[in-house]
Structure formats: C-alpha cells, structure tokens
Amino acid sequence: MATTSATTFSIGSTVSFGSRGNPLPQSKPFVARFTSPNSLASFSGLKAATYVNCESESSFFGKESSAALRGSFVPKAQKANRKSQYGLQPVASYKVAILGAAGGIGQPLALLIKMSPLVSALNLYDIANVKGVAADLSHCNTPSQVQDFTGASELGNCLKGVNVVVIPAGVPRKPGMTRDDLFNINANIMKTLVEAVADNCPDAFIHIISNPVNSTVPIAAEVLKQKGVYDPKKLFGVTTLDVVRANTFVAQKKNLKLIDVDVPVVGGHAGITILPLLSKTKPSVNFTNEEVEQLTVRIQNAGTEVVEAKAGAGSATLSMAYAAARFVESSLRALDGDGGVYECSFVQSDLTDLPFFASRIKLGRKGIEALIPSDLSRLSEYEEKALEALKPELKASIEKGIAFVQKQPVTA
C-alpha cells in the first residue's frame, strides 16, 4: 500500500510557500500546504510529500527578521493563489560558492546551504578532499546542484557567475593560539582567494569567515581596491556567531523564549572587541551589573570555551557553520527582494572613527542598504566604557590587515 509522508524543512526561517497565504500570529509556526502531490517534486524530490512545516522555534533569525519574512511571502502567496491552483513554489535561482568547503566549518556549512530552497548551484572548493564532500551532499534531494573544484587551477571555474561567495578557508584556532597568531597563515590564503573572486565574480556578495576577521576583512577590501572592483556594500565579515551566542546565553540566563530574544553585538570579532549591547536586548530585560559583566565576558570568550572543551580537537565549527548559514540565507533573501532583512556584520562603516566596525545593517539586492546607528545611542555606562576600550585593539587589527596587502601588491 502506498504511503503518504510529511516532511519538516527548517533552514531557520518561518516561511510560507503555498496557495493559502493568510497571515498568522508571529508566535505560531508558518505552514506551507501544497494542493498538488507533485508540487514538491522540483523542490526536494519528496514526491509523496504534501505538507511542509518550517518551525519558528528553530529559526536562524530573530523575531523581527522572521516577521519580515512572513510579510514578504504572504503577499506573494496571495498573488500566486489568484494565478494558480497549485500555489507558490520556491524558486532556486542563486549560485553560492564555499571556499574551504572540506574543512571543519565548510562541511556543515555546505550541508545547511544545500538545504536552502533559494540555491540553484552550490560550488565547493578546497585544496584537497572536496570531491567526497560534494559526492555526499549531491545525494541530498534539495534543488541545488553540487559541483566540486580542487586546487588553484579550478578556482576560477568555481567562481564563475556566483552570487554569494563564502570564505571559511584557513587554519583553525588551536589551544593557546590567539586570533592574532592566525594572521600570518590566513592572511595569504585570504589574499589569494579574494584575488580570484575579483577576477571571476566581482559583483558577488563576499562573506568572510576566516579569522582573524578584524584583519581579514580589511585585507579583502584592499585586494578588491587594487583590483578596481571594491564595493563596500558587498563585503561582509560574518560576526553572526556573536549574535547567536548572545541570544542563546541571554535566553538561558533570563529564562526567555529564544525566538523572542535579539541582542545586537557591535565592534569586532575577537576578544574585547566583541561588545554585546545588553541594554538593547529585545524584549526589554533588566540585568544586574554582575550579570552584565558575566554575560559580556562569556560572549567574548565563547570561542575559547569551545576550543578548550574540544581539547585540541578543533574549534567552534558547528555553531559557526550554523551562524554563517543564517547570514547566507539572509543575503539570499535580500537578493530575492525581501525588504526586511537585518543582520549584524563587520563592514566598512562611518558609525565610529574606525574604518570598519560591526553593527546592525539592513540588507538589500545591492548589498548594504543602511547602517543602523540607533544601537549606538543611549548606551549604558558599562557599554560606553567598553566601546572606547575596544577601539585601540580593533584599530590595530584593521591597520595590520591593510598594511599586509600594501606590502604585497595583488597579482595583476
């Protein structure tokens, strides 16, 4: 006897794809129902599936972003309902490349991106061991076609026509190693990869994960400038993990529903340069001075917490992949025309006297549509002092990255 199955597909957003697009309360899961038994065939290959439930509880995004996503898709679903009895189907139309796809971050990140209904092609690049990763992922019945590229000779082909480039390539942090220790190794890797991006897909969104982000983002910017293709609106240092950690730790500390918690994190992406703005937490919550100190230090040192727990066997790879996938999905939503996409990211900025700074940004089809300055107004006394304290270290890291490229001109 034939069976009918149901599947739950969650990549972090509460999304409705279907012929019924009625608004739902923000606290409820957003449900997609397909009236045709074949309507999911092109999406996930689950031909028997008739029901998809994307639970908000496991969202990549905070409450505001989830609400914006609902607002974006409801009108589309209603419009589609007038046109077709089969409802609205997700359209996979974006090409994503991961540089460093065989690594500890790259592999789980590739899996999460493979799950996105917006991705049509997923190109995986590494210097070795990527063919098996691609073969494994290619068996997952989601829309994107997976291809593998190995070594410098195949890097250009990997990047042709790509919309979003994600770069986790580099050496991970080991016990006793500071992010600054990573610089000499990862700086050369970053320079080489960004040169290839400039030559093959200069209009792509570029997501920098490789540490130290406080230096690798300025390195990427200088390379792109020397190549004559720098667009500050499309270069992002992925600091989403700091936000993910802040939201998680605050929710645990205050016994809050995680989906409701949103803590902006500003500054940089290392040690004291990471500044969670606990006074801006949504929903509004009161912290004692001791709680502020404890939470701030834990968020700043959370990477070390994982490194020590793994006892030399790796760094924060899984949570980083999760956070990076959230940022990729936000970028894809923005490229797809969603008008309410906000994330924190380390970008070129004029919010402070530093040339790069992590803050909340609004994303659009052309990249950064706006920096959000309101988070930096009316800070607590603790936050004001911490902001001033982080600036010298962040400034030095930025200047170190810039100087590295200026001493080593890019390849023509």
Side-chain angles (χ1 to χ4, degrees):
M1 180 172 126
T3 59
T4 300
S5 64
T7 183
T8 297
F9 178 76
S10 176
I11 53 169
S13 306
T14 310
V15 187
S16 175
F17 298 106
S19 61
R20 298 189 180 187
N22 296 324
L24 297 175
Q26 289 189 9
S27 61
K28 299 291 183 64
F30 219 30
V31 174
R33 297 183 185 276
F34 295 83
T35 58
S36 165
N38 296 320
S39 58
L40 272 179
S42 63
F43 170 52
S44 65
L46 300 173
K47 293 184 179 180
T50 58
Y51 176 83
V52 174
N53 181 12
C54 298
E55 294 286 350
S56 64
E57 291 295 338
S58 57
S59 175
F60 281 152
F61 308 107
K63 188 174 182 181
E64 292 180 356
S65 294
S66 294
L69 190 59
R70 291 187 189 93
S72 170
F73 277 105
V74 165
K76 294 178 184 179
Q78 290 171 337
K79 184 176 180 181
N81 188 39
R82 294 193 295 268
K83 293 183 177 181
S84 169
Q85 63 176 333
Y86 296 112
L88 179 67
Q89 295 185 45
V91 179
S93 55
Y94 298 100
K95 192 172 182 178
V96 177
I98 301 176
L99 309 184
I105 296 171
Q107 290 196 40
L109 174 58
L111 174 60
L112 292 169
I113 294 175
K114 180 74 171 74
M115 294 169 66
S116 174
L118 292 171
V119 178
S120 60
L122 180 57
N123 289 356
L124 307 181
Y125 170 84
D126 216 315
I127 57 173
N129 304 321
V130 72
K131 189 174 293 293
V133 177
D136 198 357
L137 281 181
S138 69
H139 294 179
C140 299
N141 56 337
T142 57
S144 54
Q145 298 298 309
V146 181
Q147 287 187 280
D148 62 276
F149 302 84
T150 302
S153 63
E154 297 184 7
L155 179 56
N157 287 335
C158 173
L159 294 168
K160 295 291 185 185
V162 164
N163 302 107
V164 177
V165 180
V166 192
I167 309 180
V171 175
R173 209 157 41 122
K174 297 178 181 178
M177 181 186 289
T178 67
R179 291 183 187 274
D180 194 54
D181 293 333
L182 298 177
F183 180 83
N184 289 329
I185 300 171
N186 288 349
N188 277 301
I189 295 172
M190 180 59 54
K191 177 174 174 289
T192 300
L193 295 177
V194 176
E195 286 177 0
V197 172
D199 291 338
N200 294 282
C201 54
D203 293 327
F205 285 19
I206 306 171
H207 295 185
I208 307 294
I209 297 173
S210 306
N211 279 316
V213 166
N214 293 351
S215 295
T216 53
V217 171
I219 286 172
E222 289 301 305
V223 170
L224 295 167
K225 286 176 185 177
Q226 291 191 21
K227 287 283 190 177
V229 294
Y230 179 50
D231 183 348
K233 294 180 180 179
K234 295 183 178 181
L235 178 63
F236 309 92
V238 180
T239 61
T240 318
L241 181 53
D242 299 325
V243 177
V244 166
R245 286 167 167 163
N247 292 349
T248 300
F249 299 162
V250 167
Q252 291 171 345
K253 187 77 171 178
K254 291 299 184 178
N255 196 28
L256 298 172
K257 190 176 180 181
L258 186 56
I259 190 65
D260 294 332
V261 178
D262 183 24
V263 183
V265 182
V266 302
H269 185 56
I272 67 164
T273 70
I274 301 168
L275 178 56
L277 300 180
L278 296 172
S279 69
K280 305 289 185 177
T281 298
K282 294 181 181 178
S284 181
V285 60
N286 293 321
F287 299 96
T288 66
N289 291 339
E290 184 180 8
E291 286 175 331
V292 169
E293 175 72 23
Q294 289 175 345
L295 282 167
T296 299
V297 170
R298 188 183 179 198
I299 293 163
Q300 290 173 340
N301 295 328
T304 301
E305 183 179 311
V306 175
V307 169
E308 292 176 350
K310 289 189 175 182
S315 57
T317 53
L318 300 177
S319 54
M320 182 66 248
Y322 170 85
R326 162 177 158 165
F327 195 81
V328 169
E329 193 70 12
S330 290
S331 293
L332 294 173
R333 286 171 47 211
L335 284 167
D336 204 44
D338 191 329
V341 184
Y342 295 85
E343 288 285 358
C344 288
S345 182
F346 185 65
V347 298
Q348 181 174 309
S349 174
D350 59 4
L351 295 183
T352 69
D353 54 353
L354 299 171
F356 294 88
F357 192 79
S359 69
R360 196 191 306 269
I361 59 174
K362 181 179 182 182
L363 289 165
R365 281 193 165 118
K366 295 183 179 180
I368 300 170
E369 286 190 350
L371 305 175
I372 310 301
S374 58
D375 287 336
L376 295 180
S377 64
R378 298 189 300 277
L379 297 179
S380 69
E381 182 180 354
Y382 179 90
E383 291 163 350
E384 289 278 10
K385 291 180 178 178
L387 178 59
E388 291 307 310
L390 71 81
K391 287 182 178 179
E393 181 175 323
L394 183 53
K395 182 174 184 285
S397 296
I398 292 169
E399 291 176 346
K400 188 173 185 178
I402 293 172
F404 174 82
V405 180
Q406 291 178 345
K407 292 175 182 177
Q408 302 183 46
V410 302
T411 304

